Amino acid sequence: MLILNKTAGVFFKPSKRKIYEYLRSFNFHPGKVFLHKLVLGIETSCDDTAAAVVDETGNVWGEAIHSQTEVHLKTGGIIPPVAQQLHRENIQRIVQEALSVSKISPSELSAIATTIKPGLALSLGVGLSFSLQLVDQLKKPFIPIHHMEAHALTIRLTNKVEFPFLVLLISGGHCLLALVRGVSDFLLLGKSLDIAPGDMLDKVARRLSLIKHPECSTMSGGKAIEHLAKQGNKLHFDFKPPMQRAKNCDFSFSGLQHVVDKTITQKEKEEGIEKGQLLSSAADIAAAVQHTTACHIAKRTHRAILFCKQRNFLSESNAVLVVSGGVASNLYIRKALEIVTNATQCTLLCPPPRLCTDNGVMIA
Ligand code: KG4
Ligand code: ZN
């Protein structure tokens, strides 16, 4: 509480004249200034501490984010108590920054929206307890947000998309296909039976020690795999796409991860190198694992589109597939999905990369 009192105290309260001047510079009508409903969104479900202020028309007034990727890369994965501690250290600063950039004081907020699930319990707890104290202090309404629903609806900030549409969420913690019928009306069509694709790519990148590769040392595992794959030959290794016979839209990535792991061990023996050293065939392995991941994701998505069209869940002529999440920034995977949407007369939409990954805007 002490921290929050301090937080509220340090926000400067601009004069009305200054607010009018600022808003006029964005062509806002001064008479309508205080009709805006401003929501503060707070996200701490995994390893990003993020906050943003968004109004009811989707305008982003200000946002701030602190990524923990660098720390987690060094420890070889997310350690929940470490993530929790980093959220604790940064949440106040990030919320304050989002409000300062928005040039509003906390009292001008209409509500506070915060991710409450799903995610890492310790990380979620930091955002939730911070928000509840703020809510109590400012006497504002609280809006609990489902992280996946926020991801799925983000596209509506940048594109005019009518319900229903199909959404594919692929990241380090998520993997699902759902039909979005309304703001909180989702039909889950498929999900990963084990790990998410980003998690698998991160594990493969760690097993290949890509952090030691001069071109990849600061990249997330998935990004490192995409980068290295460009220099490799995907045909040098034959990793079969998982679940070829499963007549549903579920995914699986841990089998592929184990096969790749065994291949790496085998190659290390052949090249006479220790675990932890860079393999000469790392780029070929990266290209092959990326290709198999793209094939698997594209095939399951193809099934989901056909299923939805057959049942008339999606418009025959104007079906939309939205793809989001960190893995959606992979251009090879996007290309595979483009082949599927072209073949099924669907429109493929991806939010810009900064809105694909975890952020405060989607929560607000
Ligand atoms: O959405 P996100 O920022 O966080 C959550 O997991 O919620 O996604 C991060 C994941 C990581 O696993 C990272 O390796 C993966 O997205 N990723 C990528 C790429 N960039 C990030 N995977 C494949 N290709 C990329 N270019
Ligand atoms: Zn997410």
Side-chain angles (χ1 to χ4, degrees):
M1 199 58 177
L2 192 68
I3 298 170
L4 288 161
N5 281 335
K6 210 171 109 208
T7 314
V10 293
F11 289 123
F12 84 106
K13 173 113 173 88
S15 69
K16 271 190 186 172
R17 189 178 58 79
K18 282 214 168 122
I19 293 176
Y20 285 147
E21 265 172 23
Y22 171 74
L23 292 177
R24 260 198 299 273
S25 71
F26 284 85
N27 289 331
F28 279 103
H29 192 291
K32 288 184 181 166
V33 166
F34 295 109
L35 293 181
H36 277 299
K37 288 200 176 89
L38 298 170
V39 176
L40 168 67
I42 298 179
E43 157 65 34
T44 65
S45 68
C46 188
D47 60 346
D48 291 307
T49 316
V53 176
V54 177
D55 68 25
E56 77 281 21
T57 60
N59 280 318
V60 180
W61 286 45
E63 61 177 307
I65 187 159
H66 175 263
S67 166
Q68 305 175 359
T69 306
E70 219 174 291
V71 175
H72 299 311
L73 268 178
K74 281 187 196 132
T75 53
I78 299 173
I79 300 170
V82 174
Q84 179 190 40
Q85 182 56 26
L86 291 170
H87 282 306
R88 280 188 182 140
E89 286 169 15
N90 290 292
I91 190 157
Q92 188 186 345
R93 177 178 64 80
I94 289 299
V95 169
Q96 189 172 327
E97 206 177 306
L99 287 165
S100 307
V101 176
S102 309
K103 295 200 164 47
I104 61 151
S105 70
S107 63
E108 286 168 280
L109 292 170
S110 298
I112 293 163
T114 304
T115 309
I116 56 153
K117 66 176 178 184
L120 299 173
L122 293 179
S123 293
L124 285 165
V126 178
L128 186 59
S129 65
F130 184 91
S131 304
L132 292 180
Q133 288 182 66
L134 206 53
V135 159
D136 185 50
Q137 190 181 319
L138 300 169
K139 304 284 176 270
K140 302 286 180 187
F142 177 67
I143 309 173
I145 301 293
H146 190 289
H147 184 83
M148 310 307 284
E149 292 185 1
H151 266 306
L153 297 171
T154 303
I155 193 72
R156 285 162 52 87
L157 276 175
T158 53
N159 296 64
K160 224 177 143 6
V161 187
E162 302 295 335
F163 297 118
F165 59 89
L166 192 62
V167 71
L168 168 69
L169 297 180
I170 39 176
S171 73
H174 333 126
C175 181
L176 64 81
L177 266 166
L179 182 70
V180 187
R181 297 184 290 208
V183 168
S184 51
D185 181 7
F186 290 75
L187 177 68
L188 185 65
L189 300 172
K191 61 181 182 329
S192 175
L193 302 178
D194 38 65
I195 57 175
D199 191 10
M200 182 271 294
L201 294 173
D202 289 341
K203 287 183 163 116
V204 171
R206 272 206 297 281
R207 183 67 186 80
L208 285 169
S209 304
L210 296 190
I211 197 164
K212 291 186 184 159
H213 194 290
E215 290 165 26
C216 307
S217 60
T218 57
M219 293 178 184
S220 68
K223 201 170 162 56
I225 296 277
E226 181 177 25
H227 179 80
L228 214 56
K230 290 187 191 126
Q231 305 162 21
N233 183 344
K234 63 174 189 264
L235 303 176
H236 276 185
F237 293 93
D238 185 21
F239 303 131
K240 296 266 177 290
M243 302 180 76
Q244 301 244 54
R245 294 198 181 164
K247 291 192 164 44
N248 56 40
C249 302
D250 287 335
F251 302 82
S252 168
F253 295 94
S254 62
L256 175 60
Q257 187 224 319
H258 290 304
V259 171
V260 176
D261 203 89
K262 270 169 73 178
T263 305
I264 295 171
T265 307
Q266 177 65 31
K267 283 313 257 179
E268 282 167 347
K269 269 193 204 146
E270 282 174 30
E271 293 187 18
I273 64 166
E274 295 283 313
K275 190 173 176 176
Q277 288 179 277
L278 284 171
L279 273 176
S280 68
S281 48
D284 294 338
I285 294 176
V289 75
Q290 176 179 258
H291 176 69
T292 307
T293 304
C295 287
H296 180 46
I297 291 173
K299 282 182 181 177
R300 312 316 282 172
T301 307
H302 188 210
R303 282 187 72 86
I305 293 173
L306 295 181
F307 172 79
C308 286
K309 286 209 165 187
Q310 193 191 45
R311 302 269 173 122
N312 287 325
F313 288 165
L314 282 174
S315 143
E316 191 56 50
S317 60
N318 190 25
V320 172
L321 169 70
V322 172
V323 185
S324 192
V327 179
S329 52
N330 183 296
L331 296 182
Y332 191 88
I333 294 174
R334 278 195 193 191
K335 199 89 209 129
L337 288 166
E338 223 174 274
I339 293 169
V340 168
T341 50
N342 285 342
T344 50
Q345 288 86 47
C346 277
T347 304
L348 174 66
L349 295 176
C350 301
R354 71 180 179 88
L355 292 178
C356 270
T357 51
D358 291 350
N359 64 84
V361 174
M362 70 179 193
I363 306 303

